[in-house]
Amino acid sequence: MMMKREGLLLLFFLSAFVSQALDVSIELFSKEKHNRAVITHYSGRYIVYCDDTEITTLSKNESITIIQHDTFIELIEEDSLMAKGKQMKMIGQGLSNVFSMQVSGKPIRRYDDNLLISVFNKTALQFINRVDLEKYVAGVILAEAGGSTKSPEYFMVQAIVSRTYALRHINANGEGFLLKDDVSNQVYHGKCFNSTINMAVARTAGEVIVYHDNKLIDAVFHSNSGGYTANAEDVWLNSVPYLKAKADTFSYNQKNYYWERSFSTVEWLNYLDQQHNYPVHDKKMYHNALYYAQPARETYFYDSIPLKTIRQHFKLPSTFFNITHTDDKVIFSGKGYGHGVGLSQEGAIRMAENGYSPHAIIYHYYSDVRITYYNTILALAE
């Protein structure tokens, strides 16, 4: 049933009372090195600082260019040097401030709120977006699943999961920033202009997932489980009570459900021999290396070689695969995409499109958890 506009507006304003205002810091282009960037005012009002000294105020469509020189950065406007220093800040002054940013060879991206630029290890510029948590969550959903579905219920699931993940991992990097913008944390490419996603974030504002101890869970997720999720200990060694393997029929026959890769037989056997001392000259073991099957997710290749190690070496979509042999090739026929632990995004999308509620979907993928508000956790901790 579609809610009336008045109901949506009321829900949006009520969400502000259940969600504690919180900013997070995200390192942008975290796996790349860039020595130059063009920053352009998009909306709101920005004051630009260099080493805490106010330099200028940016108006609509005005741009500044940032260039790294050794340990310093230069701020250039219309080919004129404005300032030189160790650090540049763009601080928004209004309720809604947006800037656009372009680095070499990359499409323009737009970001909410504030920007800090400094030099990292004399090699490149470091960009940190200081942004409201809920705006960040909306940006993550757009990058992670914006083109996969139009389901508001799924976007609500991803909002709760991404918010929980971000709050759990704040400061986990311990390198002067909080979160990265790539798959090592959550993919984030800036501001979300999708109204369905923004409303899903507003409707779940402040909601997080906790275990029995009222601590935030590690809300990991992946693209597709291949029909069976994995135990946390099978991927990362440590057992986690709410990240347990389970059948996941909802991921069947989705976009990333099935995959196939082939490699030369020589390459495969040499890898087993040289990297794992596998007895390829033994007749039985030779046959086993060329014909391997997983009726359900396993952890090891014939009880000795971690499947995740094979996946990493051959850059396979998942560890859930069978092996067959033909002519001079071995064929890896696999299911799923990603580590397989926690929530399957494609499975969750199917559940949402089939009428399951956001909370029911979360309870399906994470064992024995509950959903509460972040403010409630903070109050209990006092």
Side-chain angles (χ1 to χ4, degrees), residues 23-206:
D23 288 345
V24 292
S25 292
I26 317 299
E27 187 190 31
L28 309 178
F29 305 100
S30 55
K31 286 191 174 180
E32 304 171 14
K33 290 185 177 181
H34 297 285
N35 308 105
R36 180 187 179 98
V38 178
I39 315 298
T40 304
H41 176 287
Y42 182 78
S43 67
R45 178 173 175 266
Y46 280 101
I47 296 178
V48 180
Y49 298 86
C50 182
D51 293 340
D52 296 324
T53 299
E54 183 176 331
I55 302 301
T56 187
T57 300
L58 286 186
S59 301
K60 181 73 173 179
N61 296 327
E62 285 187 337
S63 299
I64 56 173
T65 300
I66 310 298
I67 301 176
Q68 177 217 347
H69 288 293
D70 194 43
T71 61
F72 291 90
I73 57 174
E74 291 182 350
L75 283 67
I76 298 173
E77 185 177 31
E78 296 181 350
D79 298 324
S80 298
L81 179 64
M82 299 171 59
K84 181 178 180 180
K86 295 281 190 179
Q87 186 183 85
M88 179 275 245
K89 291 187 292 186
M90 275 183 49
I91 306 299
Q93 302 300 302
L95 292 176
S96 178
N97 306 285
V98 181
F99 64 89
S100 65
M101 179 175 175
Q102 186 171 34
V103 296
S104 56
K106 297 291 181 179
I108 294 174
R109 295 180 182 176
R110 296 189 176 95
Y111 293 92
D112 286 296
D113 300 342
N114 305 320
L115 177 67
L116 169 67
I117 302 178
S118 57
V119 178
F120 178 75
N121 201 27
K122 296 185 181 181
T123 60
L125 294 169
Q126 184 181 52
F127 309 100
I128 297 179
N129 181 203
R130 184 74 175 175
V131 59
D132 175 81
L133 171 65
E134 302 299 333
K135 295 175 183 177
Y136 165 70
V137 168
V140 168
I141 298 171
L142 182 67
E144 289 278 4
S148 302
T149 182
K150 295 181 179 179
S151 167
E153 287 72 24
Y154 172 74
F155 292 144
M156 291 171 68
V157 171
Q158 189 70 60
I160 298 170
V161 168
S162 293
R163 184 182 299 111
T164 303
Y165 184 96
L167 291 170
R168 161 94 179 201
H169 285 264
I170 280 179
N171 279 327
N173 292 295
E175 300 175 28
F177 52 87
L178 300 182
L179 297 168
K180 296 177 182 288
D181 70 345
D182 57 50
V183 294
S184 62
N185 288 146
Q186 301 182 104
V187 180
Y188 170 68
H189 293 158
K191 181 175 179 62
C192 176
F193 291 93
N194 183 308
S195 60
T196 305
I197 292 176
N198 287 329
M199 184 55 66
V201 173
R203 291 174 65 184
T204 63

Side-chain angles (χ1 to χ4, degrees), residues 295-367:
R297 276 188 181 269
E298 302 287 346
T299 307
Y300 296 96
F301 180 76
Y302 289 117
D303 299 323
S304 60
I305 304 171
L307 287 167
K308 66 179 182 180
T309 303
I310 297 174
R311 180 196 175 200
Q312 291 167 356
H313 180 85
F314 289 97
K315 297 180 173 56
L316 303 175
S318 75
T319 60
F320 197 6
F321 56 80
N322 299 332
I323 300 174
T324 56
H325 180 246
T326 178
D327 298 327
D328 59 348
K329 292 183 178 181
V330 287
I331 300 172
F332 287 70
S333 303
K335 296 177 181 179
Y337 196 104
H339 50 65
V341 183
L343 180 134
S344 165
Q345 290 175 299
E346 290 187 347
I349 288 172
R350 173 173 282 180
M351 291 184 73
E353 292 174 346
N354 286 344
Y356 288 84
S357 71
H359 287 197
I361 296 170
I362 289 170
Y363 293 146
H364 170 71
Y365 284 105
Y366 303 105
S367 302

